[in-house]
Amino acid sequence: QLQLVESGGGLVQPGGSLRLSCAVPGRTLESHTIAWFRRAPGKGRDWVSLISARKDITDSAAYLDSVRGRLTISKDSAKNTVYLQMNSLKPEDTAVYHCAAAPGWVSTIEVMSQEVIGWGLGTQVTVSS
């Protein structure tokens, strides 16, 4: 199974910001789509965002409607890292955030569950006053 490692979580007040990082094995970003999902207590998995692995498409990304405009996904292939910049955080954003990988190009978050081949242990994000 492909091993991914998340970091950057923590405790933040409502309206605050965090940046999560997902470290992936070398060259993974050349041939995989990376996505973020979250799990909150008593709730199922929510796919938050993904970024395409295609080299001929720039800034190809998708977002869950409830986070659009507040969360931004990006990647740095040279550092083998995918980021999730989170701004204007709300208490309902509290969850364990995981990154996950799918082979090739995935264009929508709706199909990630069918294509995912690996994910990390997650990093806790708590939004509270």
Side-chain angles (χ1 to χ4, degrees), residues 35-93:
W36 290 92
F37 70 88
R38 64 188 182 187
R39 288 175 173 169
K43 298 182 179 180
R45 176 191 295 171
D46 281 338
W47 290 97
V48 176
S49 181
L50 64 77
I51 188 164
S52 173
R54 291 186 62 177
K55 296 182 179 180
D56 59 342
I57 298 179
T58 58
D59 299 325
S60 179
Y63 296 93
L64 182 69
D65 286 344
S66 62
V67 307
R68 195 181 309 276
R70 300 188 298 114
L71 276 60
T72 303
I73 191 170
S74 63
K75 64 181 179 182
D76 188 335
S77 296
K79 297 182 178 180
N80 302 121
T81 302
V82 174
Y83 303 99
L84 185 67
Q85 179 66 48
M86 304 188 296
N87 299 326
S88 302
L89 285 166
K90 304 175 180 179
E92 50 263 44
D93 294 317

Side-chain angles (χ1 to χ4, degrees), residues 6-11 17-21 86 123-125:
E6 304 92 339
S7 63
L11 174 64
S17 299
L18 287 172
R19 189 178 75 162
L20 307 184
S21 298
M86 304 188 296
T123 185
Q124 176 71 50
V125 172

Side-chain angles (χ1 to χ4, degrees), residues 101-121:
W105 176 56
V106 177
S107 61
T108 65
I109 59 176
E110 287 80 7
V111 301
M112 275 298 301
S113 294
Q114 305 172 36
E115 303 292 336
V116 64
I117 59 173
W119 57 89
L121 296 177

